[in-house]
Amino acid sequence: NLLVAQNTGDNVAEMEHDQPVSFGITVSKAIIEDLYIETGLVYSYLHSKARNENTNFQVKETQRLHYIGVPLNINYNELSLDKLNIYASIGGMVEKDVYGDFRRIGEGETVDFNSRSEETEITKSSQRNPQVSVNAGVGLSYPVYNRLRLYGKVGGAYYFDAKNEHKTIYSDRKIVMDLNVGLRYEF
């Protein structure tokens, strides 16, 4: 390594997690009037960053994880206004990461202290265990073609400890507010 870290006593490291972004394709089946069971595939993108610096050395770290999840929800139509449905939802989801990477960019003084140098390290990362969560929320759905509906749901989810190596918003916060949008086919 060409970079030298001095005065490590003034190092500050802080991990920040961005809000996850999710969208999906789901199918919904009526059990009884206004009560539906729903499942499908949901893609989620997680991004975290850390900045660690002292007077002579800076490290910027980013972590990106891409998850595919299978939800199982029960939806109850609370109100219908013309074609717009307003519903309450409760359920859970199992998610598994399909790709991840960790990037570390370090910048600091060289060993001879006459110049600055930058190092970049990119490694693939993977979570060993699937992520399990339970959720509740309220949503809107609107028909776009035949039985295909556009939906949006806002709510919250509780994420169980998956005992994975890499920290995420799921492991650090446990309860995360979420916003899901997507397409749903009702039959």
Side-chain angles (χ1 to χ4, degrees), residues 2-68:
L2 294 174
L3 304 179
V4 175
Q6 293 182 339
N7 303 328
T8 56
D10 64 354
N11 261 357
V12 176
E14 191 175 311
M15 182 63 89
E16 295 176 6
H17 302 292
D18 293 340
Q19 183 69 26
V21 176
S22 299
F23 62 90
I25 297 174
T26 60
V27 293
S28 181
K29 171 78 173 148
I31 301 172
I32 58 174
E33 187 177 344
D34 291 331
L35 188 66
Y36 294 83
I37 189 165
E38 173 188 85
T39 190
L41 284 176
V42 174
Y43 164 81
S44 297
Y45 173 72
L46 279 67
H47 181 265
S48 303
K49 60 186 170 226
R51 186 180 178 103
N52 185 353
E53 61 183 67
N54 70 23
T55 55
N56 297 318
F57 188 72
Q58 293 181 354
V59 176
K60 295 176 186 173
E61 299 171 330
T62 59
Q63 174 180 275
R64 300 180 309 166
L65 292 167
H66 303 265
Y67 280 82
I68 294 291

Side-chain angles (χ1 to χ4, degrees), residues 166-185:
H166 304 288
K167 298 290 185 186
T168 66
I169 193 169
Y170 296 158
S171 63
D172 287 354
R173 291 202 192 150
K174 299 292 186 198
I175 296 176
V176 177
M177 299 305 291
D178 59 14
L179 172 64
N180 293 286
V181 294
L183 296 171
R184 174 186 304 134
Y185 182 78

Side-chain angles (χ1 to χ4, degrees), residues 138-174:
V138 294
L140 302 171
S141 70
Y142 190 81
V144 289
Y145 179 75
N146 204 0
R147 293 182 174 200
L148 190 63
R149 298 180 77 86
L150 177 65
Y151 75 91
K153 182 175 84 168
V154 64
Y158 176 84
Y159 292 88
F160 295 97
D161 186 2
K163 302 194 184 318
N164 283 317
E165 176 185 356
H166 304 288
K167 298 290 185 186
T168 66
I169 193 169
Y170 296 158
S171 63
D172 287 354
R173 291 202 192 150
K174 299 292 186 198

Side-chain angles (χ1 to χ4, degrees), residues 57-126:
F57 188 72
Q58 293 181 354
V59 176
K60 295 176 186 173
E61 299 171 330
T62 59
Q63 174 180 275
R64 300 180 309 166
L65 292 167
H66 303 265
Y67 280 82
I68 294 291
V70 177
L72 183 60
N73 296 315
I74 299 291
N75 298 334
Y76 180 73
N77 279 343
E78 295 281 339
L79 182 63
S80 291
L81 303 170
D82 195 23
K83 295 178 182 182
L84 179 71
N85 289 342
I86 301 170
Y87 65 93
S89 179
I90 189 165
M93 184 160 51
V94 177
E95 294 178 273
K96 181 66 177 117
D97 68 309
V98 292
Y99 179 79
D101 65 32
F102 182 81
R103 296 169 185 257
R104 179 181 311 205
I105 300 172
E107 183 181 306
E109 292 181 351
T110 58
V111 176
D112 61 10
F113 301 106
N114 291 329
S115 64
R116 296 190 67 77
S117 181
E118 182 175 291
E119 291 180 354
T120 301
E121 174 187 350
I122 301 171
T123 56
K124 289 185 180 179
S125 62
S126 179

